[in-house]
Each structure stands twice: as structure tokens, then as C-alpha cells.
Amino acid sequence: MTGVTWIIRPEPIDSPDAVATVRAYIREIAGRYYGRPATEQEIDAALAGEPDDGLVPPKGVFMLARDHRDGAVGNVGGCVAVLMVTGTTAEIRRVWVAPHARRSGLGKLLVNTAEHAALDMGATAVRLDTRDDLVEARRLYARLGYEEIAPFNDSPYADHWFGKPLVPASPEPSM
């Protein structure tokens, strides 16, 4: 998908597009975890085990990326969420790029957008977790300056934990 412009905006976590996107994300990563297609019951169980209730302002946000062509906003290409877990630390969750949008730079754009949202919520650091089999995610996080940190949760679906300090953008010098 070269030449695509992505528009990433907050989306209510209970909107039809958000629900469909999160279910697609869980379907894919659960399928990779099980080595077979995930059932609807397994997707429901995963969502119940890690609910998204907190992804509402002012302490959380869920965002969808949609392609933008010829002045129209179109298909969902991915998602990302940010949740403040302490007064200064945010957790990035639900980073996912749909198969049709991969290799377009959207993963990096989603993480960068999440970092900016975390800064806007008052975070000075971000953290996230991922699994062994999600090698693409681990490569992306390393390229973006994330370093492995001590485990911060006991999720059965986490094998690696990453963190990164956030640095606010410097204001443009005035002339």
C-alpha cells in the first residue's frame, strides 16, 4: 500500500468499527498463539480476560487508522490504544496492522501516534508487552528505541516487556 496516507483518530471503544477491529486483532494473534483459527468463544474469552473498559478519556484512548485517498477516509488499516497506568506511565496496547495495510509504515505511525497521545495525557514513559511469536512487533519496538524491561504483569500472553522514556517535542525557536 505505497502512497497511502493514514488518518489516525480516537474512536469510541464500543463503536462498531472499534469492536470489529479489536476482534480481528484478537482473531489473528489468538490464531497465531493456538496455531489454528481462533473460535469466537476464544476471542470472547480473550476480551473478557483483558477488557478495554479503561480506554476512555482522560486516562485512556483507542485509535483507529483509516486510509485516506482522494479526500475520502476509507478502510480501517489498524489500531492502537493507550492507557495511563500510573501518574506518569502509559501502557501501549492493541497495536495491530491489518494484513492489507502491512509494509506501509503504519505500525511505526501507530506507535508514534500512541506516544504522542501518552505525552498529551501526562506520561513521561511508556511500556508495552508482546509475545515470542510476534517477531515483527519486537523488531518494530527495537527500531523505535524500546528496550526490554522487567515484567510488569503476569499475562499468560506476554513473553517480552518493553519500555521507553518519552521526551516532549521541543518548541520551535521564535525569531
Side-chain angles (χ1 to χ4, degrees):
M1 288 195 85
T2 55
V4 173
T5 299
W6 295 104
I7 304 294
I8 302 173
R9 293 189 180 133
E11 179 84 15
I13 192 64
D14 59 353
S15 79
D17 283 347
V19 169
T21 301
V22 170
R23 290 187 74 81
Y25 158 76
I26 298 291
R27 182 174 293 109
E28 180 176 350
I29 65 165
R32 285 177 72 164
Y33 181 79
Y34 293 125
R36 59 167 172 74
T39 67
E40 291 302 307
Q41 294 80 11
E42 289 166 335
I43 295 167
D44 291 340
L47 288 168
E50 294 185 2
D52 291 326
D53 303 356
L55 298 179
V56 294
K59 296 294 183 183
V61 63
F62 179 79
M63 295 175 277
L64 289 180
R66 290 184 169 91
D67 61 26
H68 184 262
R69 295 184 196 152
D70 303 321
V73 177
N75 297 323
V76 172
C79 63
V80 67
V82 180
L83 180 67
M84 291 299 293
V85 292
T86 73
T88 59
T89 302
E91 189 171 318
I92 297 177
R93 301 177 171 186
R94 306 272 193 239
V95 179
W96 182 68
V97 177
H100 74 272
R102 293 188 181 147
R103 306 193 65 75
S104 69
L106 181 55
K108 177 182 177 181
L109 187 58
L110 285 165
V111 173
N112 287 340
T113 301
E115 290 173 359
H116 287 286
L119 277 166
D120 289 346
M121 287 187 265
T124 58
V126 288
R127 67 186 194 188
L128 53 84
D129 65 47
T130 192
R131 296 193 326 240
D132 276 333
D133 63 319
L134 300 176
V135 293
E136 307 92 336
R138 292 193 349 250
R139 272 196 306 264
L140 172 66
Y141 303 141
R143 276 197 322 269
L144 296 177
Y146 285 79
E147 295 185 357
E148 290 223 31
I149 60 173
F152 56 82
N153 63 30
D154 59 359
S155 171
Y157 306 111
D159 300 305
H160 299 273
W161 296 263
F162 293 91
K164 178 180 177 179
L166 294 177
V167 179
S170 300
E172 293 293 321
S174 58
M175 300 264 181

